[in-house]
Amino acid sequence: MLLLRTLLQMPELRLSLHTGEDQLDRTVTRVYGTELPDPSRYLSGGELVLSGLLWHHGPQDSERFVSSLASARVAGLAASETENRALPVDLVAACERHHVPLLEVPVDLSFATITERLSMELVGLSRHRRLLNVVAEGSGLPALLLAGGHELSAPCWVLSTTGRVVAGGELQDRVALVKEFLQADRLPKTVRGMTLVPVSERGGNRLTSWILVVGGEPQQEAAAELASLVALERLRQAQGRQIENRTAAPLLSAVLSGSSDVESRLTAAGLENVRLRVISAMTSDQRADLAAAVLEEALPQALVTPVGDTVYCIAKADDSVPDDVREAMRVMEPGLGSSRVLVGISSPVMSRGLRGAAEEATHARRLGERRGGRTCVVAGEEIALHQLLLAGVPEELRTSLRRRLLGPVLDYDAEHGSDLVGTLKVFLDCSGSWTTAAAKLHVHVNTLRYRVGRVEELLGVDLAEFEARVDLFLALQAG
């Protein structure tokens, strides 16, 4: 909506007000220039009338002209007097009498400049109104994006920061565009022939934003306007997701407590009689909001709920889930800042196995803590049973067990600068094969036998015994 008040605030127009200070909230619908003594037949209401006063020869002319404007309900009159360098007193009086706001135009400012400036403003308002109607009709994001592309005369897409195309069809280089977005010093940014505009950055975090991608270099104001309306659609989707996620917290509580009403809660969530996975996620700086946003973007159809600093997710057990989450983490990594994101994913289970799946996901995530990388996704089926078991043991206890079982060898290595621990690890990794282990260590078999014998002597064990091998293997893995 373009108000008279707004015109006076445009420094490039330098308009000044003579009458109608109490009527500045009138809406301007179009600009109309005239030098007719009575232009009423050409007016429909809401116009800003521009006139150089060529029709003016005396007070009676002002009365006739202004009364015609008042009867047509124009927004106001913008006039300029080039000969006398001042607006006629009778014109000012007529405008006061008929309640027509009167604005004076500087003599050095052309009416064409005013018309062009206000026409651009009115086009923008019309564009906004058309796009807003699409949102109000509830036609959805694809329809809004189609309408926005028409207004901007350019193709448009919406991406999530996981690289997922939210709307707009297939887009080449989408992952590269997301990385450019996450690493940009300033936004909007034009790169690879595309302009990247942020959409609804929750909490000011770019990582949890959507990205409006517009082909070429559109008018910034128009692109920002479309982005703001896309944000409304995003909010609508987020509210719908919040409603869906209301079932997640009680469902997960029932799963973790082993409650008997898990089946009924799965039915309420529409997840009965299907294989499921449980996902556990945490950030290094305990930002549950960030972990939740990451899982919501990576698995848009899953149920997500925070439990303290950890976020849990229950999703249908598609075989691609681990790869989908891993790919999402890889794409989002440039925007993580100082945060490290760890994700553990359970093996597929039916409803009876959900409690064990939650524990498996937690252990898998803890195992990821011991690995490198800014992001780490560990799936239950990818790791050995002993690794899952060790992941569930507190670090202090692992350290204590390692010390109790390997202490004499650790001390010997420290004192003599040897690596009997390394020799033992290779020997056990090779299932006790002397020739294979010797080849990996690049030593003679007799040398290997001597070193292993020294380990047995220091620890007081017989490595021919299976239980001794298992204990030492786990102690080595606990480090």
Side-chain angles (χ1 to χ4, degrees), residues 168-303:
E170 187 58 38
L171 175 62
Q172 291 184 347
D173 298 329
R174 55 187 174 81
V175 172
L177 289 172
V178 170
K179 290 186 175 181
E180 293 278 3
F181 174 84
L182 292 174
Q183 298 176 74
D185 293 331
R186 297 179 61 185
L187 293 170
K189 178 180 182 180
T190 300
V191 59
R192 299 172 183 264
M194 302 287 184
T195 297
L196 310 178
V197 185
V199 175
S200 181
E201 296 184 20
R202 290 185 287 180
N205 192 329
R206 191 182 299 181
L207 189 67
T208 58
S209 172
W210 275 359
I211 310 165
L212 172 63
V213 181
V214 184
E217 297 186 44
Q219 181 188 3
Q220 286 195 11
E221 182 180 351
E225 183 178 286
L226 177 58
S228 69
L229 295 176
V230 171
L232 290 178
E233 283 297 313
R234 185 185 188 192
L235 178 61
R236 180 181 294 179
Q237 290 188 18
Q239 290 172 338
R241 177 149 194 157
Q242 285 178 354
I243 294 173
E244 293 175 358
N245 276 341
R246 287 176 184 173
T247 61
L251 171 57
L252 188 66
S253 177
V255 168
L256 295 178
S257 65
S259 174
S260 59
D261 63 348
V262 170
E263 292 288 352
S264 61
R265 294 196 179 280
L266 285 172
T267 300
L271 295 174
E272 70 277 16
N273 300 321
V274 295
R275 292 199 314 161
L276 301 168
R277 290 182 187 265
V278 179
I279 297 102
S280 172
M282 178 181 285
T283 68
S284 56
D285 45 4
Q286 287 78 51
R287 287 194 55 192
D289 61 328
L290 178 57
V294 167
L295 288 183
E296 286 174 357
E297 293 297 346
L299 301 169
Q301 304 304 318
L303 297 178

Side-chain angles (χ1 to χ4, degrees), residues 392-408:
V393 177
E395 184 176 355
E396 296 81 1
L397 181 55
R398 290 201 306 269
T399 302
S400 174
L401 290 173
R402 177 181 172 85
R403 181 68 197 175
R404 179 167 64 84
L405 291 172
L406 294 173

Side-chain angles (χ1 to χ4, degrees), residues 336-418:
L336 287 176
S338 59
S339 297
R340 184 174 185 237
V341 180
L342 306 170
V343 180
I345 304 176
S346 77
S347 305
V349 297
M350 297 300 290
S351 59
R352 293 181 181 178
L354 276 176
R355 185 176 183 183
E359 294 178 357
E360 182 183 27
T362 299
H363 293 335
R365 191 201 73 235
R366 289 174 178 166
L367 182 63
E369 295 175 2
R370 303 165 60 193
R371 297 184 179 180
R374 297 292 306 287
T375 63
C376 187
V377 179
V378 181
E381 60 262 49
E382 299 171 0
I383 55 182
L385 177 60
H386 72 272
Q387 292 177 307
L388 279 176
L389 294 174
L390 286 172
V393 177
E395 184 176 355
E396 296 81 1
L397 181 55
R398 290 201 306 269
T399 302
S400 174
L401 290 173
R402 177 181 172 85
R403 181 68 197 175
R404 179 167 64 84
L405 291 172
L406 294 173
V409 176
L410 294 170
D411 292 340
Y412 184 89
D413 282 347
E415 181 179 351
H416 296 86
S418 57

Side-chain angles (χ1 to χ4, degrees), residues 12-32:
E12 68 272 30
L13 299 186
R14 296 178 283 125
L15 301 176
S16 57
L17 182 68
H18 278 262
T19 68
E21 187 173 356
D22 59 340
Q23 300 167 62
L24 293 180
D25 288 331
R26 289 189 179 185
T27 301
V28 178
T29 58
R30 70 184 180 110
V31 182
Y32 176 71

